[in-house]
Amino acid sequence: MVATLSADIVRSTSLQTDDLIELRNRLLNLFDYLEKDYHGFWARIVKGDGIECYIPEHRYVLRIAVLLKLFVKMQADKCDCSEMLQKYGIRFSIGVSRGIYENRKQDIIDGPAIYISGRNLDIISRKTNVYSIVEVDGASEEMNCFLDSYVAMVSNLVDSYSVKKAEVVYYKLLGFKEREISERLGIFQSSVNTRSTNAQWGLLNIAIKDFENLNFGRICG
C-alpha cells in the first residue's frame, strides 16, 4: 500500500509575492528534511500554491499532512495575509491504494492514489468551507466515510491551534523532546509543557498513532 497527499495553501493569493516565494522555499527545505526521516518520501510544489507528496510508507500520510498544516500555519503567522490562511494553513486530500508509478527524474506520480487525492482536492477546493478528506481505493463507502470523519476531527483540532501551540506540536511530531523544543523556541520547558497540554497533544498523538496502526490491506478487502 502507498499513499499520496494533495494539498493547497488556503487563500494563498492574500500573500505578498515575496512572502509566497519565501513560503515555497521554506516548504522545499521541509521536504528535504522529511526525505531523511521517511524513506522514499517525495514532495513537490505544483501550480504555484499546490503540494503533492508520495509516501511509500502509507501509514505516515496523516502525520505528514498534519506537519504540513502546522508548518504553513506557523509561516503564515509571520505574514500580512488572510485570517483563513493563518487559521487553516492548508487543506489536504489523502489517497491510499495498492499500486502507483513514480519517477523523480521525469517528475511523474501516476496511479490510483494520486488520482484519488487530486480529484478530491479539486472537489473540496471549490467548497466555501475548509476541510480535508481521505479515500482508500477499494474500501467500502461506509469505511471511507468513517475515515473521512476521523481525519476531519484531527484536522479540526489542528485548526484550533494558536501559532504558539502549533510550534510546540510541530516539533513534538518531528520527535523533539520538550527540552529541545524549549531551546529552539527560547522559552521555559514548563511553557512547552503547558502549550502541549492546552493543545491536547496526548489526544492528537494517540489519534495519529491509531491511524498508523490501521490495517489498510484489510480495509481494501
Side-chain angles (χ1 to χ4, degrees):
M1 303 295 292
V2 298
T4 59
L5 176 68
S6 298
D8 65 0
I9 300 169
V10 177
R11 297 288 175 88
S12 63
T13 54
S14 68
L15 286 167
Q16 298 294 321
T17 301
D18 288 347
D19 288 334
L20 180 57
I21 292 171
E22 180 65 18
L23 175 56
R24 285 167 53 92
N25 289 337
R26 289 180 180 272
L27 278 168
L28 292 173
N29 289 335
L30 175 60
F31 297 160
D32 289 340
Y33 185 91
L34 293 176
E35 283 184 21
K36 298 173 184 177
D37 277 1
Y38 300 96
H39 179 70
F41 171 84
W42 174 33
R44 61 189 182 184
I45 296 175
V46 296
K47 300 178 183 177
D49 65 351
I51 299 168
E52 288 183 345
C53 303
Y54 164 66
I55 302 108
E57 294 285 346
H58 63 279
R59 62 185 181 275
Y60 295 125
V61 63
L62 181 58
R63 180 179 297 269
I64 291 171
V66 171
L67 277 169
L68 290 176
K69 194 174 186 65
L70 291 167
F71 183 81
V72 175
K73 278 170 66 81
M74 288 157 54
Q75 302 307 312
D77 186 71
K78 304 171 186 176
C79 305
D80 180 16
C81 61
S82 165
E83 290 182 2
M84 289 189 68
L85 173 51
Q86 293 176 339
K87 176 179 175 62
Y88 298 108
I90 64 169
R91 81 192 100 211
F92 62 84
S93 170
I94 292 171
V96 181
S97 71
R98 284 196 167 89
I100 198 167
Y101 172 77
E102 59 91 18
N103 188 312
R104 297 193 187 201
K105 291 184 178 179
Q106 298 180 5
D107 198 34
I108 296 172
I109 306 175
D110 194 17
I114 193 65
Y115 172 76
I116 289 169
S117 62
R119 178 197 64 202
N120 287 337
L121 180 65
D122 286 342
I123 292 172
I124 64 176
S125 295
R126 292 194 292 268
K127 305 293 185 180
T128 55
N129 55 327
V130 178
Y131 62 97
S132 298
I133 193 169
V134 59
E135 182 178 341
V136 180
D137 187 38
S140 67
E141 183 178 353
E142 291 82 1
M143 177 56 69
N144 276 319
C145 286
F146 168 77
L147 291 173
D148 264 349
S149 298
Y150 192 94
V151 168
M153 286 189 288
V154 170
S155 185
N156 287 343
L157 175 59
V158 175
D159 289 339
S160 71
Y161 290 167
S162 66
V163 69
K164 291 182 178 180
K165 295 177 185 176
E167 288 174 334
V168 168
V169 173
Y170 172 78
Y171 285 115
K172 276 183 167 282
L173 283 174
L174 288 177
F176 286 79
K177 305 298 184 184
E178 288 193 351
R179 176 183 55 78
E180 297 172 317
I181 297 171
S182 69
E183 291 173 355
R184 278 181 168 265
L185 298 181
I187 59 178
F188 291 115
Q189 187 171 336
S190 59
S191 297
V192 173
N193 185 266
T194 298
R195 293 179 190 182
S196 174
T197 300
N198 291 341
Q200 299 184 71
W201 159 250
L203 175 62
L204 178 68
N205 191 37
I206 290 171
I208 291 176
K209 285 184 176 181
D210 284 348
F211 184 91
E212 292 171 350
N213 289 327
L214 288 173
N215 187 330
F216 282 91
R218 183 177 298 173
I219 289 172
C220 288

